[in-house]
Amino acid sequence: ISYNSNRNFMFNPYIFDGPEALLNYYAYLFIGYALDTIVENSGTKYFNKSIEIASESDDSFGWKDKKEEINSIIENSMLRKARFLFFNYLNIVNSNDYNENMSLYLDKLDTIINEFNNQIVTIYKKIGQDKNTLKFIGHHSKTIAQLYGKHKLYEGLDFLMIYDNENEQLYREYYKWNL
C-alpha cells in the first residue's frame, strides 16, 4: 500500500485500494467485534464489509489472507456466541441493577458462564486448537479463570489448562485457590 503525503484521507466506503482501504477494513472489523459483544451476531454486516474490501482490493497487502481471516470469524458461530456470553456476563455484573440486587442474577450468571464454557469446549471438539479462540481466551484468561473459580467450574479450569496451555499456571492457581 502506497501513501502520498500530499493526499488527504477521506472516508469512502467504495475505495478498495490504498491506505483508506486498510483503515476501512480495520474500522469495520472493530465495529463488527464491538457489536457482537452487545447483541449476538450483530457484527455480521460489518464483517461482511471487511470481506468486501478484501475481495475488491488487489493482493498487495495480503488481502486474500485477511478475507480468509474474516470468513473464519463469521463461520465460527460458537466463538461469536462465547464472546457475546462473556461480555454479557461482564455487563450484568457491572450494572447498577446487579449491584442493587445481586441475588436476582445469580442463576442467570451461572447459566451464562456454563454456556460460555460449553461453547469453548464445543469449539475444541469441532475445530480443535482454533487460533481466534485461543487469542480471545488468552487475552481474557485472568477474568475467565476468576469467573470459573467463582462459579466452581473446576472441569472448565481443567479443560483450559490443556486447551490454553500458555496460561496453564494461571488456571491451576485459580483451581487450587477455590478448593
Side-chain angles (χ1 to χ4, degrees):
I1 292 181
S2 62
Y3 170 67
N4 178 349
S5 61
N6 295 324
R7 187 173 146 216
N8 291 330
F9 283 115
M10 292 179 52
F11 174 73
N12 184 338
Y14 304 106
I15 293 178
F16 299 113
D17 63 346
E20 292 95 339
L22 187 62
L23 294 172
N24 289 345
Y25 171 86
Y26 282 110
Y28 289 136
L29 178 63
F30 177 78
I31 292 167
Y33 270 133
L35 289 173
D36 266 5
T37 66
I38 300 167
V39 176
E40 190 174 347
N41 293 327
S42 60
T44 302
K45 174 181 174 183
Y46 292 91
F47 291 140
N48 285 332
K49 287 180 180 273
S50 289
I51 288 174
E52 182 181 355
I53 291 169
S55 296
E56 298 292 330
S57 299
D58 61 29
D59 202 36
S60 61
F61 198 69
W63 288 111
K64 181 180 177 186
D65 293 339
K66 288 179 178 18
K67 180 181 174 184
E68 289 173 9
E69 179 71 20
I70 297 295
N71 277 326
S72 72
I73 291 167
I74 291 172
E75 291 168 3
N76 190 345
S77 60
M78 299 160 291
L79 176 57
R80 291 179 74 187
K81 182 169 186 163
R83 286 174 37 83
F84 168 73
L85 290 165
F86 177 78
F87 287 107
N88 187 31
Y89 185 105
L90 296 180
N91 288 337
I92 290 171
V93 298
N94 290 315
S95 71
N96 289 334
D97 291 342
Y98 174 78
N99 291 324
E100 291 172 6
N101 200 346
M102 291 179 193
S103 61
L104 290 177
Y105 293 93
L106 296 179
D107 287 341
K108 182 175 185 172
L109 292 173
D110 197 52
T111 299
I112 290 171
I113 200 64
N114 277 286
E115 181 58 26
F116 170 83
N117 182 64
N118 290 339
Q119 292 298 315
I120 300 301
V121 170
T122 303
I123 291 168
Y124 176 71
K125 288 178 180 176
K126 290 187 175 184
I127 301 174
Q129 298 288 100
D130 176 61
K131 175 181 75 169
N132 290 322
T133 304
L134 287 169
K135 278 193 230 178
F136 176 76
I137 292 171
H139 184 74
H140 298 286
S141 57
K142 186 172 183 179
T143 304
I144 292 169
Q146 290 170 339
L147 296 178
Y148 278 28
K150 179 179 180 177
H151 289 272
K152 299 181 181 5
L153 203 54
Y154 303 123
E155 70 277 2
L157 288 167
D158 283 337
F159 171 77
L160 288 176
M161 283 185 240
I162 296 165
Y163 186 68
D164 179 25
N165 59 1
E166 288 186 18
N167 292 301
E168 177 183 356
Q169 190 57 40
L170 173 71
Y171 302 128
R172 193 173 301 284
E173 287 173 25
Y174 278 90
Y175 191 92
K176 289 178 184 175
W177 180 67
N178 285 289
L179 288 179

